[in-house]
Amino acid sequence: MAAINYFKTTAKIITGAKSITTLPQEIKQLGGRNVFIITDEGIIKAGICDQVIQILKGSVKAVSVYGSVPPEPPLETIADCLEQARQARCDLIIGLGGGSSMDVAKVISVLLTNKKPLNDLIGINLVEKRGIPKILIPTSAGTGSEVTPIAILTDCSENLKKGIVSDYLFPEVAILDAELTISLPPLATAASGIDALIHAIEAYTSVNATSMTDHLALRAIELIVSNIRSAWANGNNIEARMKMLEGSCLAGQAFANAGVTAVHAFAYPLGGEFHVSHGVANAVMLCTVLRFNLLANLSKFGTLGKVLCPDISSTDNKVLANGGILFLEELIADLQLPKTLRELNVPREAIGGMAEGVMKVTRLLANNPRKITLADAVSIYQSVY
Ligand SMILES: [Fe+2]
Protein backbone atom coordinates (compact mmCIF):
# COMPACT_ATOMS: atom_id res chain seq x y z
CA MET A 1 0.00 0.00 0.00
CA ALA A 2 1.26 3.49 -0.82
CA ALA A 3 2.38 5.62 2.11
CA ILE A 4 0.16 8.45 3.35
CA ASN A 5 2.11 11.71 3.35
CA TYR A 6 1.25 15.16 4.67
CA PHE A 7 2.23 18.33 2.83
CA LYS A 8 1.87 21.79 4.36
CA THR A 9 2.67 25.21 2.98
CA THR A 10 1.74 28.90 3.03
CA ALA A 11 -1.91 29.41 1.98
CA LYS A 12 -1.44 32.33 -0.43
CA ILE A 13 1.69 33.08 -2.48
CA ILE A 14 1.64 36.13 -4.76
CA THR A 15 4.40 36.30 -7.38
CA GLY A 16 5.61 38.68 -10.07
CA ALA A 17 7.51 41.91 -10.60
CA LYS A 18 5.55 44.75 -8.91
CA SER A 19 3.43 42.22 -6.94
CA ILE A 20 4.25 44.34 -3.85
CA THR A 21 1.46 46.65 -5.07
CA THR A 22 -1.07 44.01 -3.93
CA LEU A 23 -0.05 44.62 -0.31
CA PRO A 24 -2.84 47.12 0.64
CA GLN A 25 -5.58 44.81 -0.58
CA GLU A 26 -4.06 41.80 1.20
CA ILE A 27 -3.83 43.78 4.46
CA LYS A 28 -7.45 44.86 4.05
CA GLN A 29 -8.59 41.27 3.52
CA LEU A 30 -6.79 40.27 6.72
CA GLY A 31 -8.42 43.16 8.63
CA GLY A 32 -5.14 44.93 9.39
CA ARG A 33 -5.16 48.61 10.38
CA ASN A 34 -2.09 49.07 12.58
CA VAL A 35 0.77 47.57 10.60
CA PHE A 36 4.15 46.70 12.15
CA ILE A 37 7.04 46.16 9.70
CA ILE A 38 9.99 44.06 10.88
CA THR A 39 13.13 44.53 8.80
CA ASP A 40 16.89 45.21 8.93
CA GLU A 41 19.20 48.18 8.43
CA GLY A 42 20.30 47.09 4.93
CA ILE A 43 16.69 47.08 3.69
CA ILE A 44 16.10 50.51 5.23
CA LYS A 45 19.31 51.89 3.62
CA ALA A 46 18.35 50.41 0.24
CA GLY A 47 15.05 52.39 0.43
CA ILE A 48 12.94 49.21 0.21
CA CYS A 49 11.16 49.84 3.54
CA ASP A 50 10.26 53.39 2.45
CA GLN A 51 8.94 51.98 -0.81
CA VAL A 52 6.62 49.65 1.14
CA ILE A 53 5.49 52.45 3.48
CA GLN A 54 4.70 54.59 0.43
CA ILE A 55 2.51 51.82 -1.02
CA LEU A 56 0.59 51.60 2.28
CA LYS A 57 -0.12 55.36 2.47
CA GLY A 58 -3.81 56.10 2.78
CA SER A 59 -4.82 52.45 3.07
CA VAL A 60 -4.02 51.74 6.73
CA LYS A 61 -4.38 53.69 9.99
CA ALA A 62 -0.74 53.49 11.13
CA VAL A 63 2.60 51.96 10.13
CA SER A 64 5.45 51.38 12.60
CA VAL A 65 8.87 49.94 11.79
CA TYR A 66 11.32 47.81 13.75
CA GLY A 67 14.38 48.23 11.54
CA SER A 68 17.30 46.62 13.36
CA VAL A 69 17.02 42.84 13.02
CA PRO A 70 20.64 41.53 12.99
CA PRO A 71 21.80 38.47 11.04
CA GLU A 72 21.36 35.23 13.07
CA PRO A 73 18.93 37.11 15.39
CA PRO A 74 19.65 36.63 19.11
CA LEU A 75 16.90 36.02 21.68
CA GLU A 76 17.40 39.61 22.93
CA THR A 77 16.23 40.96 19.56
CA ILE A 78 12.89 39.25 20.10
CA ALA A 79 12.37 40.89 23.52
CA ASP A 80 13.24 44.32 22.11
CA CYS A 81 11.04 43.92 19.02
CA LEU A 82 8.12 42.48 21.04
CA GLU A 83 8.13 45.51 23.34
CA GLN A 84 7.89 47.86 20.35
CA ALA A 85 5.19 45.76 18.67
CA ARG A 86 3.10 45.91 21.88
CA GLN A 87 3.56 49.67 22.16
CA ALA A 88 2.44 50.06 18.54
CA ARG A 89 -0.74 48.05 19.31
CA CYS A 90 -0.29 46.43 15.92
CA ASP A 91 -2.83 44.03 14.45
CA LEU A 92 -0.79 42.86 11.45
CA ILE A 93 2.92 42.08 11.01
CA ILE A 94 5.01 42.37 7.87
CA GLY A 95 8.35 40.54 7.75
CA LEU A 96 10.44 42.32 5.08
CA GLY A 97 13.96 41.06 4.30
CA GLY A 98 15.96 37.86 4.42
CA GLY A 99 15.37 34.86 6.66
CA SER A 100 16.28 36.75 9.85
CA SER A 101 13.61 39.45 9.50
CA MET A 102 10.99 36.94 8.35
CA ASP A 103 11.81 34.57 11.24
CA VAL A 104 11.56 37.39 13.81
CA ALA A 105 8.21 38.45 12.27
CA LYS A 106 6.87 34.91 12.65
CA VAL A 107 7.92 34.73 16.30
CA ILE A 108 6.55 38.18 17.24
CA SER A 109 3.23 37.30 15.62
CA VAL A 110 2.72 34.30 17.92
CA LEU A 111 4.22 35.93 21.03
CA LEU A 112 1.56 38.66 20.80
CA THR A 113 -1.26 36.12 21.22
CA ASN A 114 0.32 33.32 23.27
CA LYS A 115 0.76 34.59 26.79
CA LYS A 116 3.89 32.53 27.29
CA PRO A 117 7.56 33.52 27.47
CA LEU A 118 9.71 32.92 24.39
CA ASN A 119 11.61 30.06 26.03
CA ASP A 120 8.38 28.09 26.43
CA LEU A 121 7.74 28.24 22.67
CA ILE A 122 11.20 26.94 21.66
CA GLY A 123 10.84 23.37 20.42
CA ILE A 124 8.37 21.52 18.26
CA ASN A 125 4.61 22.30 18.36
CA LEU A 126 4.68 24.25 21.64
CA VAL A 127 2.78 27.27 20.26
CA GLU A 128 -0.85 26.95 21.40
CA LYS A 129 -2.63 29.76 19.56
CA ARG A 130 -2.61 31.30 16.10
CA GLY A 131 -0.63 34.56 15.98
CA ILE A 132 -1.82 37.90 14.62
CA PRO A 133 -1.89 37.89 10.79
CA LYS A 134 1.49 38.14 9.08
CA ILE A 135 2.65 38.79 5.53
CA LEU A 136 6.20 37.78 4.59
CA ILE A 137 8.09 39.54 1.80
CA PRO A 138 11.55 38.10 0.98
CA THR A 139 14.15 40.50 -0.42
CA SER A 140 16.61 37.72 -1.28
CA ALA A 141 16.14 34.37 -2.99
CA GLY A 142 17.48 31.96 -0.42
CA THR A 143 15.98 30.95 2.89
CA GLY A 144 12.45 30.10 1.75
CA SER A 145 11.36 31.26 5.22
CA GLU A 146 8.12 32.59 3.68
CA VAL A 147 6.95 28.98 3.23
CA THR A 148 8.43 27.22 6.28
CA PRO A 149 6.89 26.71 9.74
CA ILE A 150 10.28 27.27 11.38
CA ALA A 151 12.06 30.23 13.02
CA ILE A 152 15.73 29.95 14.00
CA LEU A 153 17.13 32.17 16.77
CA THR A 154 20.56 32.35 18.41
CA ASP A 155 21.01 31.82 22.15
CA CYS A 156 24.24 33.78 22.61
CA SER A 157 24.71 32.62 26.23
CA GLU A 158 24.99 29.00 25.07
CA ASN A 159 26.33 29.81 21.55
CA LEU A 160 23.48 27.67 20.18
CA LYS A 161 20.89 27.97 17.44
CA LYS A 162 17.38 27.33 18.78
CA GLY A 163 14.30 26.70 16.70
CA ILE A 164 10.57 27.19 17.05
CA VAL A 165 8.59 24.82 14.85
CA SER A 166 4.83 25.31 14.59
CA ASP A 167 2.18 25.43 11.86
CA TYR A 168 1.20 28.80 13.35
CA LEU A 169 4.47 30.22 11.96
CA PHE A 170 3.24 29.91 8.37
CA PRO A 171 2.26 33.41 7.20
CA GLU A 172 -1.20 34.10 5.81
CA VAL A 173 0.38 35.59 2.67
CA ALA A 174 3.82 35.62 0.98
CA ILE A 175 4.65 38.17 -1.69
CA LEU A 176 7.56 37.40 -4.07
CA ASP A 177 8.45 40.55 -6.00
CA ALA A 178 11.71 40.33 -7.98
CA GLU A 179 12.08 44.12 -8.04
CA LEU A 180 12.75 44.07 -4.29
CA THR A 181 15.77 41.78 -4.82
CA ILE A 182 17.70 43.75 -7.47
CA SER A 183 19.83 45.69 -4.96
CA LEU A 184 21.19 42.47 -3.41
CA PRO A 185 25.00 42.46 -4.07
CA PRO A 186 26.64 39.60 -6.06
CA LEU A 187 28.17 37.79 -3.05
CA ALA A 188 24.83 37.76 -1.16
CA THR A 189 23.02 36.73 -4.37
CA ALA A 190 25.43 33.80 -4.81
CA ALA A 191 25.42 32.72 -1.15
CA SER A 192 21.63 32.91 -0.69
CA GLY A 193 21.01 31.30 -4.10
CA ILE A 194 23.34 28.39 -3.33
CA ASP A 195 21.58 27.97 0.04
CA ALA A 196 18.27 27.66 -1.82
CA LEU A 197 19.79 25.14 -4.25
CA ILE A 198 21.08 23.10 -1.30
CA HIS A 199 17.59 23.17 0.29
CA ALA A 200 16.26 21.57 -2.89
CA ILE A 201 19.10 19.01 -3.23
CA GLU A 202 18.85 18.02 0.43
CA ALA A 203 15.04 17.82 0.39
CA TYR A 204 15.27 15.59 -2.70
CA THR A 205 17.79 13.24 -1.10
CA SER A 206 16.33 13.33 2.44
CA VAL A 207 15.03 10.03 3.81
CA ASN A 208 11.75 11.92 4.42
CA ALA A 209 11.31 12.99 0.79
CA THR A 210 7.89 12.31 -0.72
CA SER A 211 6.61 12.38 -4.26
CA MET A 212 5.24 15.90 -3.64
CA THR A 213 8.52 17.25 -2.28
CA ASP A 214 10.48 15.55 -5.10
CA HIS A 215 8.47 17.37 -7.79
CA LEU A 216 9.06 20.72 -6.08
CA ALA A 217 12.75 20.05 -5.37
CA LEU A 218 13.59 18.97 -8.92
CA ARG A 219 11.89 22.00 -10.47
CA ALA A 220 13.58 24.26 -7.89
CA ILE A 221 16.98 22.82 -8.90
CA GLU A 222 16.28 23.47 -12.60
CA LEU A 223 15.13 27.04 -11.95
CA ILE A 224 18.07 27.90 -9.69
CA VAL A 225 20.92 26.38 -11.73
CA SER A 226 19.68 27.99 -14.94
CA ASN A 227 19.31 31.47 -13.41
CA ILE A 228 21.79 31.90 -10.57
CA ARG A 229 24.72 32.88 -12.80
CA SER A 230 22.64 35.54 -14.60
CA ALA A 231 21.26 36.97 -11.33
CA TRP A 232 24.82 37.07 -9.91
CA ALA A 233 26.39 38.63 -13.02
CA ASN A 234 23.69 41.29 -13.48
CA GLY A 235 21.49 41.99 -10.48
CA ASN A 236 19.08 44.01 -12.63
CA ASN A 237 18.05 40.95 -14.65
CA ILE A 238 14.44 40.86 -13.45
CA GLU A 239 13.60 37.62 -15.22
CA ALA A 240 16.51 35.78 -13.58
CA ARG A 241 15.68 37.39 -10.21
CA MET A 242 12.04 36.26 -10.48
CA LYS A 243 13.01 32.70 -11.40
CA MET A 244 15.42 32.65 -8.43
CA LEU A 245 12.63 33.77 -6.06
CA GLU A 246 10.31 31.09 -7.44
CA GLY A 247 13.08 28.47 -7.19
CA SER A 248 13.89 29.35 -3.59
CA CYS A 249 10.17 29.29 -2.71
CA LEU A 250 9.72 25.81 -4.26
CA ALA A 251 12.89 24.63 -2.49
CA GLY A 252 11.48 26.05 0.77
CA GLN A 253 8.22 24.18 0.26
CA ALA A 254 10.18 20.97 -0.35
CA PHE A 255 12.46 21.22 2.67
CA ALA A 256 9.70 22.48 4.98
CA ASN A 257 8.17 19.02 4.47
CA ALA A 258 11.15 16.71 3.76
CA GLY A 259 13.85 18.42 5.86
CA VAL A 260 17.46 19.26 5.05
CA THR A 261 20.34 16.89 5.72
CA ALA A 262 24.08 16.73 6.44
CA VAL A 263 25.31 19.70 4.38
CA HIS A 264 23.37 21.97 6.74
CA ALA A 265 24.60 19.98 9.77
CA PHE A 266 28.24 20.52 8.68
CA ALA A 267 27.59 24.21 8.01
CA TYR A 268 26.21 24.93 11.51
CA PRO A 269 29.55 24.76 13.44
CA LEU A 270 31.14 27.04 10.82
CA GLY A 271 28.40 29.61 11.45
CA GLY A 272 28.30 29.18 15.23
CA GLU A 273 32.07 29.22 15.94
CA PHE A 274 33.56 31.12 13.00
CA HIS A 275 30.63 33.32 11.94
CA VAL A 276 30.80 32.12 8.35
CA SER A 277 27.56 33.17 6.63
CA HIS A 278 25.00 30.38 6.24
CA GLY A 279 25.10 30.23 2.42
CA VAL A 280 28.91 30.33 2.21
CA ALA A 281 29.28 27.62 4.88
CA ASN A 282 26.82 25.41 2.99
CA ALA A 283 28.56 26.04 -0.36
CA VAL A 284 31.95 25.01 1.07
CA MET A 285 30.59 21.72 2.45
CA LEU A 286 28.24 20.81 -0.41
CA CYS A 287 30.26 18.68 -2.84
CA THR A 288 32.24 16.71 -0.27
CA VAL A 289 29.09 15.79 1.65
CA LEU A 290 27.31 14.79 -1.58
CA ARG A 291 30.27 12.54 -2.57
CA PHE A 292 29.98 10.87 0.84
CA ASN A 293 26.21 10.50 0.57
CA LEU A 294 25.77 9.29 -2.99
CA LEU A 295 26.33 5.58 -2.31
CA ALA A 296 23.32 5.58 0.01
CA ASN A 297 20.86 6.29 -2.80
CA LEU A 298 22.49 5.99 -6.22
CA SER A 299 19.17 6.18 -8.01
CA LYS A 300 18.30 9.59 -6.56
CA PHE A 301 21.82 11.02 -6.85
CA GLY A 302 21.88 9.73 -10.45
CA THR A 303 18.63 11.58 -11.22
CA LEU A 304 20.07 14.67 -9.56
CA GLY A 305 23.13 14.40 -11.85
CA LYS A 306 20.88 14.04 -14.90
CA VAL A 307 18.92 17.17 -13.93
CA LEU A 308 22.13 19.14 -13.35
CA CYS A 309 23.83 17.85 -16.53
CA PRO A 310 21.17 16.79 -19.07
CA ASP A 311 23.92 16.26 -21.69
CA ILE A 312 25.57 13.31 -19.92
CA SER A 313 24.65 10.27 -21.99
CA SER A 314 25.49 7.55 -19.42
CA THR A 315 22.81 5.37 -17.85
CA ASP A 316 25.09 4.52 -14.92
CA ASN A 317 23.76 6.33 -11.83
CA LYS A 318 27.22 6.62 -10.29
CA VAL A 319 28.58 8.30 -13.42
CA LEU A 320 25.56 10.65 -13.50
CA ALA A 321 25.89 11.44 -9.77
CA ASN A 322 29.60 12.26 -10.09
CA GLY A 323 28.88 14.38 -13.17
CA GLY A 324 26.34 16.36 -11.13
CA ILE A 325 28.90 17.00 -8.39
CA LEU A 326 31.45 18.24 -10.95
CA PHE A 327 28.75 20.59 -12.29
CA LEU A 328 28.19 21.96 -8.77
CA GLU A 329 31.94 22.46 -8.25
CA GLU A 330 32.11 24.51 -11.43
CA LEU A 331 29.03 26.51 -10.40
CA ILE A 332 30.56 27.38 -7.01
CA ALA A 333 33.81 28.43 -8.77
CA ASP A 334 31.90 30.59 -11.29
CA LEU A 335 30.13 32.38 -8.44
CA GLN A 336 33.51 33.01 -6.78
CA LEU A 337 32.42 31.39 -3.53
CA PRO A 338 35.13 29.88 -1.27
CA LYS A 339 35.91 26.18 -1.70
CA THR A 340 37.97 25.34 1.38
CA LEU A 341 37.94 25.83 5.16
CA ARG A 342 41.43 27.32 4.81
CA GLU A 343 40.00 30.19 2.73
CA LEU A 344 37.56 30.84 5.59
CA ASN A 345 40.47 31.11 8.10
CA VAL A 346 39.24 28.12 10.07
CA PRO A 347 42.24 26.59 11.92
CA ARG A 348 42.89 22.89 11.21
CA GLU A 349 42.91 22.21 14.98
CA ALA A 350 39.22 23.20 15.10
CA ILE A 351 38.15 20.19 13.03
CA GLY A 352 37.78 17.77 15.97
CA GLY A 353 35.48 20.14 17.89
CA MET A 354 33.45 20.99 14.81
CA ALA A 355 33.00 17.28 14.01
CA GLU A 356 31.65 16.77 17.54
CA GLY A 357 29.32 19.71 16.89
CA VAL A 358 28.01 18.03 13.74
CA MET A 359 27.16 14.86 15.69
CA LYS A 360 24.89 16.96 17.96
CA VAL A 361 22.75 18.14 15.01
CA THR A 362 20.72 14.94 15.30
CA ARG A 363 17.55 16.61 13.91
CA LEU A 364 19.24 16.97 10.49
CA LEU A 365 21.48 13.88 10.60
CA ALA A 366 18.31 11.82 11.04
CA ASN A 367 17.21 13.00 7.56
CA ASN A 368 20.55 12.17 5.93
CA PRO A 369 20.56 9.25 3.48
CA ARG A 370 23.87 7.87 4.80
CA LYS A 371 24.69 7.30 8.48
CA ILE A 372 27.55 9.48 9.68
CA THR A 373 30.04 8.60 12.46
CA LEU A 374 32.34 10.99 14.29
CA ALA A 375 35.28 9.60 12.27
CA ASP A 376 33.32 10.30 9.04
CA ALA A 377 32.65 13.87 10.19
CA VAL A 378 36.36 14.45 10.91
CA SER A 379 37.36 13.04 7.53
CA ILE A 380 34.73 15.15 5.68
CA TYR A 381 36.01 18.37 7.27
CA GLN A 382 39.62 17.30 6.50
CA SER A 383 38.73 16.77 2.84
CA VAL A 384 37.38 20.31 2.66
CA TYR A 385 40.46 21.87 4.29
FE1 LIG B 1 19.75 26.87 4.52
Side-chain angles (χ1 to χ4, degrees):
M1 203 169 88
I4 296 173
N5 300 305
Y6 291 83
F7 181 82
K8 297 175 186 174
T9 195
T10 296
K12 190 190 266 192
I13 301 168
I14 305 173
T15 59
K18 303 203 190 311
S19 56
I20 191 68
T21 55
T22 64
L23 189 56
Q25 90 197 41
E26 292 307 316
I27 292 174
K28 194 175 169 197
Q29 275 188 22
L30 292 168
R33 286 168 55 76
N34 286 328
V35 174
F36 190 68
I37 300 176
I38 296 175
T39 190
D40 66 59
E41 284 167 3
I43 297 302
I44 291 187
K45 275 193 198 133
I48 296 172
C49 189
D50 277 346
Q51 200 183 328
V52 171
I53 293 170
Q54 202 59 33
I55 287 168
L56 296 180
K57 259 199 178 142
S59 66
V60 296
K61 193 172 143 215
V63 180
S64 325
V65 177
Y66 181 84
S68 48
V69 175
E72 329 266 331
L75 301 178
E76 292 72 27
T77 296
I78 299 294
D80 190 26
C81 185
L82 180 64
E83 178 61 29
Q84 291 196 30
R86 281 196 177 125
Q87 278 175 13
R89 298 181 176 278
C90 62
D91 53 21
L92 186 139
I93 301 242
I94 292 176
L96 175 69
S100 300
S101 293
M102 290 192 280
D103 282 6
V104 171
K106 290 168 167 179
V107 175
I108 296 298
S109 150
V110 293
L111 276 172
L112 284 169
T113 54
N114 287 266
K115 303 295 176 204
K116 276 179 154 187
L118 174 60
N119 268 329
D120 291 0
L121 302 186
I122 290 171
I124 298 171
N125 292 333
L126 298 177
V127 181
E128 288 170 353
K129 286 189 204 157
R130 181 176 299 283
I132 69 167
K134 52 199 162 294
I135 297 177
L136 299 184
I137 308 169
T139 57
S140 64
T143 65
S145 176
E146 72 276 12
V147 286
T148 72
I150 308 162
I152 305 285
L153 304 168
T154 305
D155 185 337
C156 299
S157 65
E158 296 178 47
N159 208 7
L160 268 183
K161 295 279 182 84
K162 293 190 169 174
I164 302 178
V165 182
S166 161
D167 289 352
Y168 293 131
L169 295 189
F170 281 119
E172 277 68 17
V173 178
I175 299 179
L176 312 184
D177 183 342
E179 290 194 359
L180 303 184
T181 69
I182 57 175
S183 59
L184 195 69
L187 174 58
T189 299
S192 56
I194 283 286
D195 183 33
L197 177 61
I198 295 171
H199 293 156
I201 291 173
E202 295 211 279
Y204 183 66
T205 52
S206 162
V207 296
N208 295 315
T210 67
S211 174
M212 286 285 285
T213 59
D214 283 354
H215 296 307
L216 292 162
L218 289 176
R219 183 62 185 143
I221 291 165
E222 285 173 343
L223 281 168
I224 295 167
V225 297
S226 50
N227 289 282
I228 191 169
R229 288 180 176 90
S230 318
W232 173 82
N234 179 358
N236 291 324
N237 184 331
I238 282 287
E239 202 185 325
R241 290 289 200 185
M242 198 61 238
K243 295 265 168 52
M244 287 298 294
L245 267 179
E246 288 173 9
S248 84
C249 182
L250 297 184
Q253 290 178 313
F255 95 82
N257 290 278
V260 286
T261 64
V263 179
H264 273 73
F266 277 89
Y268 277 167
L270 291 170
E273 284 176 59
F274 299 101
H275 307 290
V276 179
S277 80
H278 179 71
V280 169
N282 272 322
V284 165
M285 298 311 306
L286 174 65
C287 293
T288 304
V289 174
L290 291 189
R291 276 202 180 90
F292 175 85
N293 274 347
L294 66 87
L295 290 177
N297 192 340
L298 273 175
S299 161
K300 275 214 149 169
F301 282 98
T303 305
L304 176 65
K306 190 80 191 160
V307 170
L308 292 171
C309 312
D311 294 339
I312 302 183
S313 55
S314 176
T315 51
D316 180 335
N317 279 328
K318 201 168 166 204
V319 171
L320 290 168
N322 280 313
I325 294 170
L326 289 176
F327 172 95
L328 292 169
E329 280 174 341
E330 193 181 336
L331 177 63
I332 288 166
D334 282 351
L335 299 173
Q336 297 177 3
L337 288 168
K339 294 191 271 304
T340 62
L341 296 180
R342 195 187 305 256
E343 289 170 76
L344 300 173
N345 296 319
V346 174
R348 197 181 266 280
E349 308 77 66
I351 286 179
M354 291 198 303
E356 281 171 17
V358 170
M359 300 313 291
K360 288 183 192 151
V361 195
T362 49
R363 181 175 65 90
L364 304 187
L365 293 184
N367 301 335
N368 200 55
R370 182 167 169 184
K371 293 291 160 233
I372 295 181
T373 65
L374 179 61
D376 294 329
V378 169
S379 128
I380 286 170
Y381 274 132
Q382 278 170 344
S383 310
V384 184
Y385 202 80

